[in-house]
């Protein structure tokens, strides 16, 4: 599974980071790095929940950061 964290600066100055491959995984923060770190944490939590519930089997994961 390849995941991409897309990030961009909003007009109000906040940074938005989201992972399009996993609906609902997005975060805001004051810097791009903080927003991406939060998004990465959310991805790992979402994947862990899917594996624990039997929805997904263990898999190789690759995360790439992409400027939007």
């Amino acid at each position: 599974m390849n995941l991409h964290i897309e990030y961009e600066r909003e007009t109000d100055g906040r940074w938005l980071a989201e992972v399009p491959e996993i609906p609902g995984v997005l975060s805001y923060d004051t810097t791009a790095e903080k927003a991406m770190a939060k998004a990465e944490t959310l991805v790992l939590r979402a994947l862990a929940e899917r594996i624990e519930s039997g929805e997904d089997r263990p898999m190789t994961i690759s995360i790439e950061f992409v400027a939007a």
Side-chain angles (χ1 to χ4, degrees), residues 21-67:
E21 295 87 357
I22 302 182
V25 173
L26 61 96
S27 63
Y28 285 97
D29 214 310
T30 55
T31 68
E33 292 79 17
K34 288 180 181 179
M36 288 186 288
K38 286 182 178 180
E40 188 174 3
T41 300
L42 291 172
V43 164
L44 295 173
R45 287 181 183 157
L47 292 176
E49 287 180 21
R50 288 181 179 185
I51 292 167
E52 287 176 357
S53 69
E55 190 176 330
D56 284 335
R57 65 186 197 302
M59 66 197 82
T60 303
I61 299 170
S62 170
I63 299 175
E64 177 182 341
F65 298 96
V66 180

Side-chain angles (χ1 to χ4, degrees), residues 8-15 28:
E8 65 181 302
R9 192 168 203 164
E10 298 287 291
T11 57
D12 63 2
R14 297 181 302 166
W15 284 88
Y28 285 97

